Amino acid sequence: MNAPAPRFFAFDNTYVRDLEGFYAPWKPTPASKPVLIRLNEALARELGANPAVLASLAGVEALAGNRVPEGAEPIAQAYAGHQFGGFSPQLGDGRALLLGEVIDCQGQRRDIAFKGSGRTPFSRNGDGKCALGPALREYLISEAMHALGIPTTRSLAVVATGDMVRRDRPLPGAVLTRVAASHVRVGTFEFFATHQGPEQVKRLADYVIARHYPALANSTQPYLDLLAAVAERQAELVARWLGVGFIHGVMNTDNMTLSGETIDYGPCAFMEAYSPSAVFSSIDSGGRYAYGKQAGIARWNLARLAETLLPLIDADTQRAVKLATEVIDAFTERHAAHWLAVFRAKLGLDDTGEADADRGLIDDFLLTLKHQQLDFTLAFRALTAAATGDAARLQGLMAEVPDFADWQTRWLARQPIRTPALLAAMQQANPAYIPRNHRVEAALDAAVEHNDLAPFERLLAVIQSPFDERAADTEYGEPAPSEFTKTYMTFCGT
Ligand code: AMP
Ligand code: MG
């Protein structure tokens, strides 16, 4: 007799239950020889799962898609999206599957999904697969973002499939298990607005309100308020990205969540030398998604969401457009307010100063970084050290900058005294360790080319504690050699 299948997660699948017609039920493609590469034990526990069971033979089979765990109802979700400004009416989960939802130990509903689990009805010409390198990359960067306190999808596991994936050369394949507040995207709304109509968009909007914005359930204008609430989360999210030098790289509307989490780590990267035009993605030659353009793009994406909601906002189209436009216009100011809060914290300033004067002080510091091509992370860390009485690093960095002493005088005059709380906030706003691009590439190269996971594990440990400087990790705080950064490129969906 067969032993009963282990119960990995207590699934409760509202998307399947409430949104029939928004997805295709589907099964993952089995892997020929699954091997567990990485399991996020803390996250497993958070989801109410037993890490030892997930790491067992049966667990690895489940994480590879070879056997669908009890309670899971795998589906491929339908969505559309504006990619680099052009509309693709039919995207969807081409290489992903939503296994189901669980309630975590904090009472939050979370999606558990695969990436790289084979072809689906939405695969178009793709193979539905994911190579090991990109799966490990998403694991590293998403966990780094989480450690930095930035809303993000998480990574639960990476399993090597034992099958090769055909890219520009054959590469080992993998399945990443991703955990998200949900996978509803701006592109999900676009899909149903384009192919169906306001009733279906309303079903989706009601679902999103119930799941992510329950306070709006009794609103007199729930759909306008939904737009404003999503805009508010994105305004803050992008400000938080800018505070750590993060460049998403592919801010298409299908890669923007309604929940406000960062999603889809493809050609993303952390900036080293400060430059608003920094971009690393091989497919973004026009710099549409450059570091300094991200707020404008978020606003553009929100306007696409707004268009899908117009019929729900008001039966009078003109009035609906007017109301939605006010929300979209307000985004710029809301983002500026979050940006100011993020950068005040980075400079160790309280919030009592005059906003324009503080913006000037911040901008002048950033301008110095830009002109001197200084490393963004190191410069703010040096500023943090100076705020705690150790000015040597800052002096060293700025030795060549003629009028930096003037800036420092203004900085000191603006905040002569810092309370322990203000200093602590400054520390938390200025990480010592980000996933440096050369370290990420070295870790992935060792894993993929030499089957050596030690550099990946080491880097992961470093970026999981980004704020405390450790003598043993000094080299992880250092920028890449400039020859590396000059030619560094990241790739999408590989
Ligand atoms: P991404 O660039 O990963 O955000 O994906 C954009 C769209 O392309 C989504 O609909 C994906 O499901 C699809 N896609 C990306 N890579 C593949 C692949 N290897 N096979 C099938 N579909 C893919
Ligand atoms: Mg995507």
Side-chain angles (χ1 to χ4, degrees), residues 340-414:
L340 182 60
V342 165
F343 278 83
R344 269 180 174 156
K346 289 181 77 65
L347 262 69
L349 310 179
D350 61 25
D351 57 7
T352 63
E354 209 263 310
D356 281 342
D358 283 356
R359 262 187 218 110
L361 192 64
I362 297 163
D363 282 340
D364 288 345
F365 186 70
L366 291 174
L367 215 56
T368 301
L369 302 194
K370 184 178 162 199
H371 288 152
Q372 305 296 316
Q373 302 187 7
L374 292 176
D375 185 86
F376 181 77
T377 305
L378 281 187
F380 277 101
R381 200 66 193 180
L383 204 60
T384 312
T388 57
D390 166 16
R393 269 201 243 176
L394 191 62
Q395 237 109 59
L397 269 181
M398 302 297 183
E400 308 289 307
V401 187
D403 41 6
F404 189 71
D406 296 344
W407 184 88
Q408 231 175 328
T409 308
R410 280 164 65 204
W411 180 54
L412 195 69
R414 163 62 177 85

Side-chain angles (χ1 to χ4, degrees), residues 77 79-80 83 90-96 115 118-120 122-130 165 167 185 250 252 254-255 264-267 283 492-494:
Q77 291 177 307
Y79 55 86
Q83 301 181 306
Q90 178 94 14
L91 292 170
D93 284 336
R95 55 161 172 172
K115 198 165 176 175
R119 289 181 55 80
T120 77
F122 301 104
S123 294
R124 293 167 291 156
N125 296 322
D127 60 3
K129 302 258 170 76
C130 181
V165 175
R167 294 294 178 259
R185 308 146 189 267
V250 61
N252 296 333
D254 51 307
N255 293 336
D264 272 1
Y265 294 91
I283 53 168
C492 193
T494 40

Side-chain angles (χ1 to χ4, degrees), residues 63-295:
L63 291 170
N66 288 20
R67 98 154 117 165
V68 175
E70 188 192 317
E73 296 167 275
I75 56 169
Q77 291 177 307
Y79 55 86
H82 277 84
Q83 301 181 306
F84 289 88
F87 187 54
S88 305
Q90 178 94 14
L91 292 170
D93 284 336
R95 55 161 172 172
L97 283 180
L98 174 60
L99 270 189
E101 302 151 32
V102 299
I103 307 292
D104 72 13
C105 58
Q106 253 118 49
Q108 297 298 315
R109 182 173 294 279
R110 315 273 290 268
D111 277 5
I112 301 179
F114 287 151
K115 198 165 176 175
S117 50
R119 289 181 55 80
T120 77
F122 301 104
S123 294
R124 293 167 291 156
N125 296 322
D127 60 3
K129 302 258 170 76
C130 181
L132 176 61
L136 289 174
R137 192 161 202 282
E138 171 151 349
Y139 192 112
L140 259 178
I141 310 284
S142 63
E143 290 306 297
M145 293 291 267
H146 173 70
L148 290 165
I150 298 175
T152 176
T153 64
R154 303 286 307 277
S155 296
L156 179 65
V158 174
V159 171
T161 56
D163 302 308
M164 297 307 272
V165 175
R166 253 194 272 174
R167 294 294 178 259
D168 47 357
R169 65 198 169 98
L171 291 167
V175 174
L176 171 82
T177 304
R178 174 159 80 186
V179 175
S182 85
H183 284 79
V184 180
R185 308 146 189 267
V186 170
T188 320
F189 279 79
E190 292 181 284
F191 185 94
F192 291 97
T194 303
H195 300 293
Q196 305 207 351
E199 285 90 74
Q200 295 299 70
V201 177
K202 181 174 178 306
R203 276 177 74 198
L204 184 62
D206 288 340
Y207 179 86
V208 168
I209 289 172
R211 185 158 172 182
H212 298 300
Y213 302 93
L216 303 184
N218 299 317
S219 159
T220 51
Q221 42 178 15
Y223 308 109
L224 185 65
D225 288 352
L226 172 63
L227 180 63
V230 174
E232 179 66 18
R233 285 196 195 170
Q234 289 296 332
E236 180 171 8
L237 180 68
V238 174
R240 305 287 307 277
W241 290 356
L242 299 184
V244 295
F246 178 74
I247 305 165
H248 183 284
V250 61
M251 287 178 73
N252 296 333
T253 57
D254 51 307
N255 293 336
M256 185 190 262
T257 60
L258 271 282
S259 69
E261 284 183 344
T262 313
I263 197 169
D264 272 1
Y265 294 91
C268 60
F270 282 78
M271 177 174 69
E272 300 221 308
Y274 175 75
S275 162
S277 59
V279 63
F280 293 101
S281 168
S282 63
I283 53 168
D284 192 8
S285 49
R288 179 180 169 90
Y289 300 140
Y291 171 84
K293 293 224 179 119
Q294 297 182 107

